[in-house]
Amino acid sequence: MNFRIFNAAGILKFREYLARLRTNSTLTPPVGLLADDELIREGIPVSFPDPVNTFSNRMEFAHWLYDLFSQAGIEIPRSEEGFWAWLSLALFDQVAPPDSGGNRKPGADARHIPELTNWRRRYRHLLANPVDVFLLHRDDPSRAAVVLLNPLNKPGELTEQFTARFELVSCPGTMALATRLYIDSRTGARRLGASGNSARRLGKLMNQYTRTWDLPEINPQTFAQILPKEFDRFK
Amino acid sequence: MSIRRLNYTKRMKLTHDHVRIRLSPSVVGQPRGFEVDLALPKLSPTGRVYVEAYRTSPAARMRFDFGTVEKPISPAAAALLLTEFADDIAPLFRVKIVDAADQNGKLLAEAHQLKALDPDEISSPKSGILRTAWRDNGGLVWDVDLNDEGGPILYIDQTADPHRDLPRRIEFRALVYPEIIRKVLTEIIVNEPGSIEDTERWHYKWIRFPRDTFGFAEALPAPDDDEGRIDWIDAAVRHCSRKADFVRAMTPTEVDEQ
């Protein structure tokens, strides 16, 4: 099977499933929709692997998708709502995994069917967002590790603090600083206390700094020195 | 009520008198390029000059080095290709002058949310105000997105217009553009009246578009005059259409009628 793009009817069917899943949390994903020609606007000449990988985090997924499309010489159709909805259903076990009792919690529709023309909501899509971040930093994706290391279905508050603000998530300097502060370079894992108040405060500070400083090329070590004392434990 | 902004950073705001950016025409399958005319203030001779292209959805950002205030460089056309913006939605631009002497990295001057002059779109005298892009519109020949941070985007169906020449055809402009103006002005006046005086937002240019481009002199009625404001929008749209001569452009010629 190749990657595909849902048409409006396909998106609607998927949306209806999400609504039903909220009242019956054990409903099986309607994977038959993925190959229903009535619901497909077009196919993409890129093969969808079977079985598909299990991704340990957002970075792995974004890398996988980028590699598949790059090797085929095709742009990822990032502006296609039907593409992201189709992919979300294809990877539903990873974006809304069942618990031990088979129950799924899909969350808001925007996590699965993106609102692509609304920049305030686009970041909520569980698959489009890591790909956006990865592509913004594809010269060195490790600089954005702070928002790419969580599992696909749990992006986390720290991720939201940065990815909801385009000026921050697109800036190499701010992402390098946030990764330096919040990711332990020895273990590659997030540091304790790296979300909650600290993340919210850093997000606000960064917003202020972007009005005074040119941050894209700033060295994260230099940048860390101008942060207030409350961040000393992360430096 | 106008919004008063405090400038604690002493950063200078660059204007269209300092920066002019032009996009190259769009060609299917090729990234667009851009040109920049800079007439920068002599703030700091060694200040670094950067131009950034950016777009929030789908997210992309590119940065270009234009040398210093004293010794600006003009990158070759091949170095000014917007390769990260492969689709049709044009980016916005930001220009920065950055201190390289006393406080390294400090912003000395900046302009952001700059729209480039775009040969593919409606133009006002100083800058384009309606970006145009092609996509599958799900049955609509055209649609307007009013939710983008950078301002309205006209989406034309890619199947209906495979050669991307509809915006250049007078019939399309005559039938579509007045309705776009009406939609945008209604969005601003009815849904976001507080944005009208904010010079940093796209709404500011749009609300002045009928006056600045077509000489519509009627003042916008007071905020509590809902009916008067709706009438104002209608009068503005008709005025713009008259001045653009859309009816005459659509009138069949004798040759057409034979």
Side-chain angles (χ1 to χ4, degrees):
Chain A
M1 179 171 69
N2 282 357
F3 283 85
R4 295 175 185 196
I5 298 175
F6 271 145
N7 59 22
I11 294 170
L12 183 62
K13 289 271 185 193
F14 183 34
R15 200 182 290 280
E16 286 169 356
Y17 165 70
L18 292 172
R20 288 201 310 275
L21 187 59
R22 289 190 193 98
T23 53
N24 178 0
S25 60
T26 58
L27 268 185
T28 308
V31 290
L33 305 182
L34 296 170
D36 183 343
D37 287 342
E38 294 289 308
L39 304 176
I40 301 299
R41 203 190 77 214
E42 63 182 278
I44 303 169
V46 180
S47 180
F48 186 78
D50 182 22
V52 71
N53 310 31
T54 299
F55 306 108
S56 59
N57 58 44
R58 289 157 47 93
M59 175 91 83
E60 245 184 61
F61 160 73
H63 222 308
W64 168 82
L65 193 72
Y66 175 71
D67 286 348
L68 279 177
F69 276 73
S70 297
Q71 284 156 18
I74 287 176
E75 290 270 338
I76 299 169
R78 296 163 70 202
S79 300
E80 295 284 358
E81 181 187 26
F83 170 73
W84 294 114
W86 185 93
L87 192 54
S88 186
L89 178 56
L91 298 176
F92 207 66
D93 279 344
Q94 302 197 50
V95 292
D99 63 15
S100 54
N103 299 290
R104 297 176 195 265
K105 290 181 181 172
D109 278 7
R111 287 161 66 93
H112 307 283
I113 302 169
E115 296 184 37
L116 294 178
T117 56
N118 187 337
W119 66 277
R120 293 180 188 89
R121 295 193 192 140
R122 179 188 169 96
Y123 77 90
R124 297 176 69 187
H125 195 269
L126 297 174
L127 302 177
N129 180 257
V131 172
D132 277 349
V133 176
F134 180 87
L135 291 175
L136 281 165
H137 299 281
R138 70 169 172 266
D139 59 316
D140 179 11
S142 66
R143 135 193 347 128
V146 69
V147 296
L148 290 173
L149 286 184
N150 268 31
L152 279 175
N153 64 317
K154 290 179 182 169
E157 187 182 1
L158 187 57
T159 299
E160 187 154 323
Q161 284 300 318
F162 285 96
T163 56
R165 295 168 163 141
F166 173 77
E167 184 53 35
L168 302 187
V169 75
S170 68
C171 175
T174 55
M175 295 314 290
L177 173 67
T179 294
R180 184 177 187 277
L181 290 179
Y182 292 142
I183 299 293
D184 187 325
S185 59
R186 286 165 304 167
T187 64
R190 274 191 187 169
R191 289 196 165 121
L192 210 59
S195 55
N197 285 340
S198 175
R200 279 192 290 275
R201 176 88 175 110
L202 185 65
K204 283 182 182 168
L205 271 175
M206 297 278 201
N207 258 351
Q208 291 172 17
Y209 288 155
T210 58
R211 294 186 190 119
T212 310
W213 301 94
D214 177 52
L215 299 177
E217 292 173 19
I218 196 166
N219 178 310
Q221 246 168 322
T222 312
F223 197 174
Q225 298 314 311
I226 62 174
L227 289 176
K229 279 190 175 175
E230 65 195 271
F231 292 97
D232 282 355
R233 66 192 171 116
F234 296 114
K235 289 179 186 172
Chain B
M1 185 185 77
S2 63
I3 295 171
R4 186 164 162 254
R5 290 176 182 277
L6 300 174
N7 181 9
Y8 293 111
T9 64
K10 308 294 181 198
R11 190 180 68 242
M12 183 182 177
K13 187 179 173 186
L14 299 174
T15 68
H16 282 286
D17 293 334
H18 302 116
V19 183
R20 296 281 177 95
I21 301 176
R22 282 180 304 280
L23 288 171
S24 63
S26 59
V27 177
V28 179
Q30 290 179 21
R32 299 178 81 173
F34 70 100
E35 295 175 346
V36 182
D37 293 332
L38 295 171
L40 298 175
K42 304 293 179 198
L43 287 169
S44 162
T46 57
R48 306 284 319 174
V49 181
Y50 297 104
V51 175
E52 292 179 4
Y54 65 101
R55 187 182 61 201
T56 55
S57 184
R61 179 170 175 164
M62 292 181 77
R63 182 171 163 103
F64 303 88
D65 187 346
F66 276 72
T68 65
V69 172
E70 190 177 39
K71 293 180 181 170
I73 55 174
S74 301
L80 295 180
L81 289 177
L82 296 164
T83 51
E84 295 294 313
F85 304 85
D87 47 31
D88 300 309
I89 307 170
L92 296 172
F93 289 86
R94 178 188 291 126
V95 177
K96 295 174 175 176
I97 302 178
V98 180
D99 194 356
D102 300 336
Q103 289 181 284
N104 195 10
K106 189 174 183 186
L107 284 175
L108 300 175
E110 187 186 25
H112 61 99
Q113 290 197 0
L114 293 174
K115 288 196 192 77
L117 283 167
D118 185 344
D120 293 346
E121 68 178 17
I122 295 179
S123 290
S124 71
K126 288 186 175 176
S127 65
I129 58 171
L130 179 69
R131 287 174 290 165
T132 305
W134 283 258
R135 69 174 184 190
D136 179 347
N137 269 347
L140 296 175
V141 173
W142 65 276
D143 197 7
V144 178
D145 172 20
L146 300 172
N147 291 316
D148 192 86
E149 181 197 16
I153 301 174
L154 165 63
Y155 285 106
I156 298 174
D157 189 273
Q158 60 201 14
T159 306
D161 185 24
H163 304 299
R164 300 183 177 187
D165 63 352
L166 272 184
R168 296 187 191 93
R169 284 158 59 177
I170 186 64
E171 297 88 350
F172 180 83
R173 295 207 300 272
L175 293 171
V176 172
Y177 283 0
E179 280 317 298
I180 293 176
I181 296 170
R182 188 187 302 278
K183 269 176 179 262
V184 175
L185 293 181
T186 304
E187 166 70 13
I188 296 170
I189 290 170
V190 175
N191 295 333
E192 293 209 53
S195 65
I196 291 173
E197 298 298 333
D198 188 346
T199 58
E200 306 242 323
R201 300 181 68 187
W202 61 264
H203 310 71
Y204 184 84
K205 279 183 190 167
W206 261 98
I207 205 73
R208 282 156 184 76
F209 174 70
R211 185 193 68 194
D212 293 348
T213 303
F214 293 107
F216 180 62
E218 198 175 309
L220 181 66
D224 57 355
D225 183 3
D226 292 342
E227 205 171 311
R229 289 192 150 203
I230 296 297
D231 289 344
W232 182 90
I233 293 170
D234 190 60
V237 173
R238 287 174 192 277
H239 179 91
C240 294
S241 292
R242 269 198 307 276
K243 290 291 180 186
D245 223 0
F246 283 149
V247 169
R248 195 162 67 90
M250 291 286 286
T251 305
T253 62
E254 286 181 12
V255 174
D256 291 334
E257 289 182 330
Q258 283 169 4

